[in-house]
Amino acid sequence: LTGSRFKTGESKRVALPCPFKWPVSAGNLKRCLTVTRIPVEGTDKEFVLVNLHLEAYDNGEGKVAQTAMLREILTSEYEKGNYVLAGGDFNQTFSNVDLSPYPVYEGMWKAGNIDIEDFDKGFSFYMDSTSPTCRSLDKPYAGADKSTFQYYMLDGFIVSDNIEVSHMETKDYDFKSTDHNPVVMEFMLK
């Protein structure tokens, strides 16, 4: 969901490449980006907010193709001088995140990896690993041994360097309503 108390301009759904062929494609989510533009008052620039949910259960090439498309969009907007922020469920972890608190147990799904070096130097990558952003769905969470449960770091933000981040955190709500914990960021346009 993208919501704003500011008057937004165009909000557009951008279809992402689908790694699955028929008939498997019929049973999988149609991944996309929602690109919302908010005019920055007093300038000809826009705040470009990208809400995303990238592929999870492919062989890896879908994640790579979707991340490449995301990178192209972010870079293009940044080169125009716009303020750019992408956030959501990457179903991957950024290469600058310490995953040692969340080992992947044998037989469990393993998240992909986004190498931050593949992006322009004008971007920063934020994931707060003090609390997991996601939990597995392979067994009930209620009553489970939390010390051996499978947790992940999948949710975060990519932010252009013309945005100043003052705070970012994962809210540890112990997965009360969903398999993800909310991730919150406070920022200011420079």
Side-chain angles (χ1 to χ4, degrees):
L1 170 70
T2 300
S4 175
R5 64 184 171 108
F6 298 99
K7 182 173 173 57
T8 61
E10 175 186 63
S11 189
K12 180 178 172 185
R13 180 189 188 277
V14 177
L16 290 169
C18 179
F20 304 108
K21 302 217 181 304
W22 174 262
V24 177
S25 63
N28 280 280
L29 298 171
K30 308 307 178 251
R31 306 289 180 166
C32 69
L33 309 173
T34 302
V35 180
T36 303
R37 297 175 175 281
I38 301 174
V40 178
E41 191 175 317
T43 74
D44 63 346
K45 305 300 179 204
E46 295 175 303
F47 172 48
V48 180
L49 180 62
V50 180
N51 189 325
L52 58 88
H53 188 181
L54 302 184
E55 193 59 60
Y57 303 112
D58 67 326
N59 65 6
E61 61 188 61
K63 286 186 238 342
V64 170
Q66 292 173 359
T67 302
M69 187 173 177
L70 172 65
R71 181 176 53 247
E72 288 173 25
I73 291 169
L74 298 181
T75 300
S76 172
E77 293 297 337
Y78 177 70
E79 287 174 350
K80 294 175 191 172
N82 289 327
Y83 302 88
V84 184
L85 189 150
D89 181 352
F90 288 86
N91 274 313
Q92 300 171 85
T93 304
F94 301 150
S95 60
N96 63 339
V97 175
D98 175 17
L99 295 177
S100 60
Y102 313 108
V104 177
Y105 297 113
E106 186 176 335
M108 296 302 295
W109 176 79
K110 184 174 177 8
N113 185 60
I114 294 178
D115 187 348
I116 66 172
E117 298 299 320
D118 291 342
F119 280 74
D120 184 80
K121 296 297 181 213
F123 292 98
S124 296
F125 296 75
Y126 294 88
M127 282 186 172
D128 170 25
S129 61
T130 59
S131 295
T133 66
C134 184
R135 67 171 177 85
S136 71
L137 295 172
D138 66 310
K139 60 186 172 188
Y141 191 65
D145 180 355
K146 305 296 187 332
S147 68
T148 60
F149 210 87
Q150 184 64 63
Y151 298 105
Y152 298 101
M153 293 300 306
L154 305 177
D155 305 273
F157 300 96
I158 301 175
V159 182
S160 60
D161 64 6
N162 52 3
I163 297 174
E164 181 179 325
V165 175
S166 58
H167 181 74
M168 189 265 179
E169 72 174 305
T170 302
K171 297 287 190 177
D172 188 359
Y173 292 158
D174 198 33
F175 307 103
K176 182 177 179 180
S177 301
T178 178
D179 60 325
H180 288 258
N181 276 322
V183 182
V184 178
M185 177 179 278
E186 294 174 13
F187 60 90
M188 188 169 73
L189 306 184
K190 292 182 184 178

